[in-house]
């Protein structure tokens, strides 16, 4: 019996439900407990029952969702990443895993009081957006905290809190900077380059398109009237593109839709997108050719080094978890690694009396930059990939320190 690529993707997606709107992580899907078959639950290899690990006088707490809730697989992937990073750089640090029972986190103040009694010196988490919202009731957190999400718009960010996330907005901005660098090279300084954004009616798609537009215009580019529609067919896309002139296209669409409508675009027109366009055919995936998507050749995709650059110095320092074959879980695993590394950097700053000093971290999720005096959010710059022979490969060769280098005559986007 032959198995085609669609069947492979469908099988890989069984038991997966969307949680992007709640987590705000910029992920298209993650495993949820209530969708896992009963026989698979019995074989579960989650590390959810871990309560403490490491030894030492310095104590760190990781705030994660309830192990019986719908986010247990996401929490498991993040915790695995934290543990992997701790194994590499955790000497002298004891970690306590604290579970949040209610996603609204109404007892945040009491949880922090208990962590103070436990002599916790650094907190990593919460993970879910609603849990981060729960921190807004506290004006000043009593323990330095690295939140793993962004709160809803309008929610207060407490003092003593830094925020790190995989929000789709960062990838939209990264795509705009890469696209502008390419478009500027093509059109020169005689006129401003034009971009067209295409999104569907989902919130995540529109958020990434809006972030692209904002960054594109900040660089001096012009934008055409955006297309916001649940396009499904080549003919429909061809009609929507009639009369449109653009130097680049940003497509906030998933890979299957893009495979269908790709022929509607001129072969020479640069198309950019986020990790939604990643079909899983990666240099880091064994037998990637089984998932190859030659229909997407030439399409540019912003992704994290963890997925695209196995030889990146930071990526090579950590082993991959064979328990997490799903791409979204691998992203959360990498997220956990960088969360630990960021927490260590913040703790070192405090020990050295340099709290608030801007710093950059060459992360497995991208180039990370924090200037807490200006913005409590960690800025993240993804790397650029391009489809060649159906495989998503790094667009630029890796340079010293893991920074991507533009090809001869080209230019990389500016760093944050």
């Amino acid at each position: 019996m032959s198995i085609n690529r669609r069947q492979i993707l469908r099988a890989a997606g069984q038991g997966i439900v969307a949680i992007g709107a709640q987590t705000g992580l910029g992920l298209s899907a993650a495993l949820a407990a209530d969708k896992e078959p009963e026989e698979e639950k019995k074989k579960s290899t989650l590390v959810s029952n871990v309560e403490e690990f490491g030894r030492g006088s310095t104590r760190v707490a990781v705030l994660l969702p309830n192990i019986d809730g719908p986010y247990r697989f996401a929490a498991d992937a993040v915790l695995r990443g934290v543990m992997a990073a701790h194994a590499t750089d955790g000497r002298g640090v004891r970690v306590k895993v604290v579970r949040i029972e209610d996603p609204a986190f109404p007892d945040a103040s009491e949880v922090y009081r208990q962590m103070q009694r436990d002599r916790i010196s650094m907190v990593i988490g919460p993970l879910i957006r609603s849990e981060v919202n729960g921190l807004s009731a506290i004006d000043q957190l009593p323990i330095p905290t690295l939140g793993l999400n962004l709160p809803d718009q309008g929610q207060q960010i407490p003092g003593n809190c830094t925020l790190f996330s995989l929000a789709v907005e960062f990838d939209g901005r990264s795509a705009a900077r890469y696209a502008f660098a390419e478009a500027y090279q093509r059109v020169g300084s005689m006129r401003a380059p034009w971009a067209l954004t295409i999104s569907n009616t989902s919130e995540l798609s529109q958020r990434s398109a809006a972030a692209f537009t904002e960054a594109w215009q900040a660089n001096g580019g012009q934008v055409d009237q955006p297309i916001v529609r649940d396009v499904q067919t080549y003919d429909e896309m061809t009609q929507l593109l009639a009369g449109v002139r653009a130097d680049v296209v940003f497509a906030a669409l998933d890979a299957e839709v893009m495979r269908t409508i790709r022929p509607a675009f001129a072969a020479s027109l640069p198309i950019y997108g986020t990790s939604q366009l990643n079909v899983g055919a990666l240099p880091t995936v064994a037998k990637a050719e089984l998932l190859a998507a030659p229909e997407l050749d030439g399409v540019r995709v912003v992704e994290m080094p963890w997925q695209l650059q196995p030889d990146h110095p930071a990526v090579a320092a950590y082993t991959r978890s064979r328990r997490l074959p799903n791409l979204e879980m691998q992203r959360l695993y990498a997220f956990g690694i960088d969360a630990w590394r960021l927490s260590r950097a913040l703790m070192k700053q405090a020990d050295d009396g340099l709290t608030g000093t801007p710093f950059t971290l060459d992360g497995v999720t991208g180039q990370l930059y924090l200037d807490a005096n200006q913005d409590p959010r960690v800025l993240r710059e993804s790397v650029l990939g391009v489809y060649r022979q159906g495989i998503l490969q790094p667009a630029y060769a890796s340079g010293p320190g893991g920074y991507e280098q533009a090809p001869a005559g080209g230019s990389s986007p500016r760093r944050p």
Side-chain angles (χ1 to χ4, degrees), residues 46-63:
L46 298 179
V47 294
S48 298
N49 60 346
V50 171
E51 296 180 356
E52 287 189 348
F53 57 92
R55 300 175 63 180
S57 57
T58 301
R59 298 189 176 187
V60 172
V62 181
L63 296 181

Side-chain angles (χ1 to χ4, degrees), residues 308-331:
L308 275 178
Q309 299 177 321
D311 59 344
H312 183 289
V315 172
Y318 303 98
T319 58
R320 292 184 177 272
S321 175
R322 294 183 179 180
R323 305 286 187 184
L324 303 170
N326 179 267
L327 288 179
E328 307 301 347
M329 296 296 102
Q330 283 290 341
R331 289 192 180 98

Side-chain angles (χ1 to χ4, degrees), residues 24-251:
L25 295 174
L27 303 175
S28 62
L31 292 171
D34 58 356
K35 294 295 183 180
E36 186 187 20
E38 286 301 321
E39 61 272 17
E40 290 303 316
K41 287 184 180 180
K42 296 175 183 178
K43 303 175 186 177
S44 178
T45 55
L46 298 179
V47 294
S48 298
N49 60 346
V50 171
E51 296 180 356
E52 287 189 348
F53 57 92
R55 300 175 63 180
S57 57
T58 301
R59 298 189 176 187
V60 172
V62 181
L63 296 181
L64 291 174
N66 189 325
I67 59 174
D68 295 322
Y71 307 110
R72 68 191 185 106
F73 283 93
D76 176 72
V78 171
L79 182 55
R80 285 183 184 276
V82 170
M83 294 174 71
H86 177 275
T88 299
D89 178 28
R91 185 175 181 179
V93 183
R94 181 179 177 183
V95 181
K96 180 177 182 179
V97 181
V98 178
R99 295 291 173 172
I100 298 174
E101 298 299 321
D102 186 331
F105 205 9
D107 58 342
S109 296
E110 176 53 37
V111 170
Y112 269 84
R113 281 193 290 269
Q114 181 58 52
M115 289 191 294
Q116 283 183 290
R117 290 191 288 268
D118 292 338
R119 293 180 291 132
I120 300 296
S121 57
M122 181 75 199
V123 176
I124 302 174
L127 175 65
I128 306 304
R129 176 166 290 183
S130 61
E131 298 169 350
V132 176
N133 289 340
L135 297 181
S136 64
I138 307 173
D139 290 333
Q140 181 79 14
L141 298 179
I143 306 172
T145 298
L146 178 66
L148 301 183
N149 214 314
L150 301 180
D152 287 327
Q153 189 172 5
Q155 291 283 347
Q156 170 185 289
I157 299 175
N160 212 17
C161 182
T162 302
L163 300 174
F164 175 44
S165 80
L166 297 181
V168 293
E169 286 82 354
F170 291 117
D171 286 339
R173 291 167 194 155
S174 291
R177 287 189 280 269
Y178 282 112
F180 189 87
E182 178 177 2
Y184 186 82
Q185 226 183 11
R186 290 162 63 101
V187 306
S189 59
M190 298 300 294
R191 64 173 178 84
W194 282 77
L196 169 68
T197 64
I198 305 173
S199 61
N200 58 37
T201 56
S202 73
E203 178 189 355
L204 288 178
S205 176
Q206 292 182 52
R207 278 168 49 194
S208 62
F212 177 94
T213 298
E214 180 183 4
W216 178 267
Q217 292 177 320
N219 276 289
Q222 298 290 324
V223 292
D224 206 333
Q225 182 67 31
I227 295 174
V228 182
R229 190 164 174 174
D230 294 319
V231 181
Q232 296 294 331
T233 67
Y234 162 79
D235 289 339
E236 184 180 5
M237 192 72 253
T238 300
Q239 293 175 8
L240 291 171
L241 290 175
V244 170
R245 291 186 177 181
D247 299 299
V248 300
V249 168
F250 177 73

Side-chain angles (χ1 to χ4, degrees), residues 255 258-259 262 277 279 293-300 387-388:
M258 179 51 65
R259 282 161 54 91
R262 177 69 171 92
L277 294 181
V279 299
E295 304 93 332
L296 298 181
D297 278 1
V299 173
R300 287 82 158 157
Y387 277 99
R388 300 189 184 102

